[in-house]
Amino acid sequence: MKIVLAYSGGLDTTVSIRWLKEKYQADVITVSVDVGQKEDFKKLEERAYIAGSSKHYTIDAKEEFVEKFVKYDIIMNGLYEDVYPLSTALARPLIAEKVVEIAKKEGTEYVAHGSTSKGNDQVRFDLAIKAHMPDAKIITPARSWDMTRETEIKYAKERGIPIKEESSKYSIDENLWGRSIEGDIIEDPSKEVPEDAFELTRKTSTKNKEKIIITFEKGVPVALNGEKMPLLNLIDNLNKIAGSLGFGRVDHLENRVVGFKSREVYEAPAALCLIYAHKDLEKTVYTPLELRFKKSIDSQWSDLVYQGLWYEPLRETLQKVGVDMNNWVTGEVEVEIGENGLRILGRNSPYSPYSDKIASYNKGWYPTEEMAKGFIEIWGMHSLLARKVRSS
Ligand code: ARG
């Protein structure tokens, strides 16, 4: 029997390798997907083999992650509950896809992942695996064993399996779109998150704030400060610039799919910066009707992605509409970022209906008094008539 395991290198999946091997007498094939997490993939491979993997694959999926997932998170202003740029939620379907590819190649239907029964990730993994392999037999050690973090650490130590130092404290998930930190003292939502939880947003720059110009073409960022670059590099650079200024932290009580609130902390400097700038540019370009409509599809799209429904047809439909509407979202946005947040300094687009001739108080077009009065009288008629009948 062969089991293909999605291997992150963390505590749960490392212990899973040995546990699966012992319980099923199986060959465990490990797959690590590089979605831009800061990870030494050579070390990770070594750890997998020490833990008992019989074959290990490392797959670089950074480009694909950006092109098939992250790009649309920008176009759809994807922020769950208005704050979380969906970094983990977006990567799960891609990781599942890659793991299924290896399972097919290895000729097995047994696919395993390290999610617990308390999180959103199990929902995303299970559904994405089924989308690509309807008959997959999904095995999830962390849902069936009865181990706490402490017993897992003990299990690993007893068997000489190396684990990462930080494994004992926080539960981390990271990719190029953001880093999620959970567990330990963070679970008390009344207490400030300790500084040691953060990595990408430690203030290391000597400056307190910095101005950056972001250029968009059809809703997609294409240049930083006038310098054109592929989106993957742009995100990388922006994570460094904004992160070193201490920008990009999120701390909120999140409503999980699985029925309860949890305190979630994220670092997502580039994601937040790009989404805020993109939102501003959409507002610059859209009619008021378009703006309101887009807001509502953005929020539906974000909910579907968060809830593990990447393969729900509606997600794709909403996204197509979003892409179509972004045909005109071309232009530049200047932002200033620092520890205390992001400020939009200016924007411009060849497709903006804004006209200084129309808007200016100093010059140009004014409606005639007659036009203005007539417009207002008809505009307010609904409200004034309703008010009248209700007050008598
Ligand atoms: N709460 C976030 C989400 O549902 C982050 C999950 C992080 N996952 C993890 N295994 N540490 O997307």
Side-chain angles (χ1 to χ4, degrees), residues 208-368:
N208 284 329
K209 44 195 181 184
E210 208 167 315
K211 292 177 184 177
I212 298 175
I213 298 172
I214 303 158
T215 310
F216 290 86
E217 263 169 32
K218 297 184 192 283
V220 180
V222 293
L224 270 192
N225 293 326
E227 191 188 332
K228 281 218 162 206
M229 58 187 90
L231 187 51
L232 176 58
N233 300 18
L234 191 148
I235 291 167
D236 242 24
N237 288 336
L238 197 52
N239 267 330
K240 288 194 189 100
I241 301 170
S244 70
L245 289 158
F247 172 80
R249 295 183 180 180
V250 173
D251 170 359
H252 80 144
L253 276 188
E254 185 168 293
N255 290 300
R256 282 195 189 178
V257 179
V258 286
F260 63 92
K261 289 186 195 295
S262 71
R263 206 268 189 94
E264 300 288 330
V265 176
Y266 304 99
E267 299 180 278
L272 294 174
C273 190
L274 293 174
I275 292 171
Y276 294 162
H278 176 261
K279 265 190 182 178
D280 189 83
L281 193 58
E282 283 194 324
K283 199 173 197 175
T284 305
V285 168
Y286 288 160
T287 68
L289 291 173
E290 286 179 312
L291 184 67
R292 278 153 190 73
F293 174 74
K294 181 65 170 31
K295 224 178 173 172
S296 79
I297 62 168
D298 286 352
S299 118
Q300 282 191 61
W301 185 92
S302 304
D303 284 350
L304 292 174
V305 173
Y306 182 82
Q307 292 160 355
L309 297 174
W310 181 263
Y311 296 98
E312 152 69 45
L314 181 62
R315 193 269 312 156
E316 219 171 310
T317 306
L318 296 173
Q319 202 172 289
K320 278 188 190 143
V321 177
V323 168
D324 193 56
M325 293 179 75
N326 268 263
N327 227 344
W328 311 108
V329 186
T330 291
E332 285 179 351
V333 181
E334 186 175 15
V335 300
E336 182 180 76
I337 37 186
E339 215 169 352
N340 293 326
L342 178 144
R343 231 156 45 95
I344 307 276
L345 300 180
R347 75 286 283 161
N348 84 75
S349 165
Y351 302 114
S352 176
Y354 175 81
S355 154
D356 61 347
K357 281 195 196 69
I358 291 177
S360 174
Y361 280 112
N362 297 326
K363 54 183 176 189
W365 176 80
Y366 268 86
T368 63

Side-chain angles (χ1 to χ4, degrees), residues 84 88 92 120-121 124 171 173 180 182 254 264 266:
Y84 163 40
T88 296
R92 294 322 193 194
N120 300 319
D121 288 328
R124 300 167 183 151
S171 167
D173 183 64
S180 139
E182 299 171 316
E254 185 168 293
E264 300 288 330
Y266 304 99

Side-chain angles (χ1 to χ4, degrees), residues 58-300:
T58 302
I59 299 170
D60 181 352
K62 294 195 285 289
E63 199 72 54
E64 214 177 324
F65 184 43
V66 169
E67 283 308 307
K68 283 170 49 180
F69 296 86
V70 168
K71 192 162 99 182
Y72 299 105
D73 199 50
I74 303 170
I75 285 177
M76 302 308 288
N77 302 308
L79 291 173
Y80 181 63
E81 296 186 333
D82 298 327
V83 294
Y84 163 40
L86 297 165
S87 39
T88 296
L90 286 163
R92 294 322 193 194
L94 180 59
I95 296 171
E97 189 184 328
K98 297 292 150 197
V99 169
V100 167
E101 271 171 33
I102 299 296
K104 285 181 180 163
K105 186 173 155 188
E106 292 285 343
T108 181
E109 288 181 328
Y110 292 97
V111 178
H113 62 81
S115 307
T116 70
S117 57
K118 270 189 152 178
N120 300 319
D121 288 328
Q122 55 172 339
V123 182
R124 300 167 183 151
F125 271 131
D126 282 15
L127 291 175
I129 290 167
K130 294 273 184 193
H132 293 287
M133 191 187 244
D135 294 326
K137 312 245 177 333
I138 300 174
I139 309 178
T140 48
R143 280 197 294 209
S144 56
W145 68 35
D146 205 11
M147 290 197 270
T148 61
R149 283 185 89 73
E150 283 83 60
T151 21
E152 282 181 58
I153 292 167
K154 195 164 157 263
Y155 180 100
K157 284 199 174 134
E158 277 168 9
R159 290 164 176 77
I161 301 168
I163 49 164
K164 280 184 167 177
E165 271 165 56
E166 73 198 22
S167 296
S168 48
K169 207 167 180 191
Y170 303 116
S171 167
I172 310 281
D173 183 64
E174 190 186 357
N175 60 53
L176 58 91
W177 201 229
R179 181 171 179 268
S180 139
I181 314 115
E182 299 171 316
D184 200 59
I185 186 160
I186 291 173
E187 286 167 1
D188 180 350
S190 70
K191 298 249 160 43
E192 189 180 338
V193 180
E195 200 54 32
D196 73 354
F198 298 108
E199 235 170 55
L200 310 177
T201 57
R202 285 197 195 139
K203 192 176 173 299
T204 50
S205 171
T206 48
K207 297 182 207 156
N208 284 329
K209 44 195 181 184
E210 208 167 315
K211 292 177 184 177
I212 298 175
I213 298 172
I214 303 158
T215 310
F216 290 86
E217 263 169 32
K218 297 184 192 283
V220 180
V222 293
L224 270 192
N225 293 326
E227 191 188 332
K228 281 218 162 206
M229 58 187 90
L231 187 51
L232 176 58
N233 300 18
L234 191 148
I235 291 167
D236 242 24
N237 288 336
L238 197 52
N239 267 330
K240 288 194 189 100
I241 301 170
S244 70
L245 289 158
F247 172 80
R249 295 183 180 180
V250 173
D251 170 359
H252 80 144
L253 276 188
E254 185 168 293
N255 290 300
R256 282 195 189 178
V257 179
V258 286
F260 63 92
K261 289 186 195 295
S262 71
R263 206 268 189 94
E264 300 288 330
V265 176
Y266 304 99
E267 299 180 278
L272 294 174
C273 190
L274 293 174
I275 292 171
Y276 294 162
H278 176 261
K279 265 190 182 178
D280 189 83
L281 193 58
E282 283 194 324
K283 199 173 197 175
T284 305
V285 168
Y286 288 160
T287 68
L289 291 173
E290 286 179 312
L291 184 67
R292 278 153 190 73
F293 174 74
K294 181 65 170 31
K295 224 178 173 172
S296 79
I297 62 168
D298 286 352
S299 118
Q300 282 191 61

